[in-house]
Amino acid sequence: QVQLVESGGGVVQPGRSLRLSCTTSGFTFSNHGMHWVRQAPGKGLEWLALIWYDGSKKFYADSVKGRFTISRDNSRNTLFLQMSSLTADDTAVFFCARDNSIRGIGIGYLYNWGQGTPVTVSA
Amino acid sequence: DIQLTQSPSFLSASVGDRVTITCRASQAISSYLAWFQQESGKAPRLLIYAASTLQSGVPSRFSGSGFGTEFTLTIDSLQPEDFATYYCQQVHSYPRTFGQGTKLEIK
């Protein structure tokens, strides 16, 4: 079955960087776009970024554009989120999710989600 | 950016009730809308996509409707496991925005 497992979260000081990973299995990773979504404590869901199946296109929320970079390694079935210049407002649980479109065809919905990895930005 | 506004933000209901949650988009998004359920401390779960298509494995008491700027999620005969928070999300354009959520609580 489809599995997505996020890792790399933890406590980080303001201004520092952190890289999250999402290891996947149970589907052909290289066929699907992948998303990152976060949820601050007690708040709603915030979509952050999407990377196409082949990495050729990337889209970001304005709140993270220029600070966060989404990337993927199709040989390792793994998605990444490189986060820099972190502030307390970035404290959240970060989820990765699989887009159901195949090789960019069709409208992509967030079909499967990982359980999330928590990131706390604090001095 | 497309804004999604859910109403109500909080909803109190009893087991067996029928409830409806509304999601309004700031501009027309055709039928490019999804609904998610999130239980406390868990990952979101896709319930409905393309405004009205039930995701595989989701009970038939869930239904969605709407087009353009107004959408609804209806849950018939509420079950104890349905008390959770519900979010709509548009996939019409980037960024892929979510509504603020509707928390469904037991009365």
Side-chain angles (χ1 to χ4, degrees), chain B residues 13-57:
Chain B
S14 301
V15 172
D17 285 353
R18 182 176 192 257
V19 298
T20 297
I21 299 169
T22 298
C23 178
R24 289 187 173 87
S26 60
Q27 63 190 77
I29 58 171
S30 185
S31 60
Y32 298 135
L33 189 100
W35 289 97
F36 296 88
Q37 177 193 63
Q38 187 180 32
E39 298 177 49
S40 182
K42 295 190 175 181
R45 170 196 182 197
L46 178 65
L47 297 176
I48 288 169
Y49 61 94
S52 60
T53 302
L54 203 64
Q55 170 68 326
S56 176

Side-chain angles (χ1 to χ4, degrees), chain A residues 55-117:
Chain A
S56 62
K57 295 184 182 181
K58 303 176 184 181
F59 301 90
Y60 296 93
D62 289 344
S63 60
V64 302
K65 198 176 296 182
R67 295 191 305 124
F68 289 11
T69 301
I70 190 170
S71 63
R72 64 192 296 156
D73 183 340
N74 284 350
S75 68
R76 294 163 54 193
N77 296 334
T78 302
L79 173 73
F80 303 100
L81 185 67
Q82 179 69 44
M83 305 185 293
S84 63
S85 303
L86 288 164
T87 73
D89 288 343
D90 295 313
T91 293
V93 175
F94 286 74
F95 298 97
C96 62
R98 178 179 77 122
D99 189 290
N100 73 307
S101 66
I102 296 179
R103 302 186 75 79
I105 297 172
I107 298 298
Y109 292 90
L110 280 63
Y111 251 46
N112 308 96
W113 296 62
Q115 287 304 302
T117 187

Side-chain angles (χ1 to χ4, degrees), chain A residues 22 43 80:
Chain A
C22 171
K43 303 297 184 182
F80 303 100

Side-chain angles (χ1 to χ4, degrees), chain A residues 18-35:
Chain A
L18 196 66
R19 188 176 85 154
L20 305 182
S21 300
C22 171
T23 303
T24 72
S25 61
F27 66 100
T28 304
F29 181 74
S30 59
N31 279 350
H32 291 271
M34 295 293 295
H35 302 255

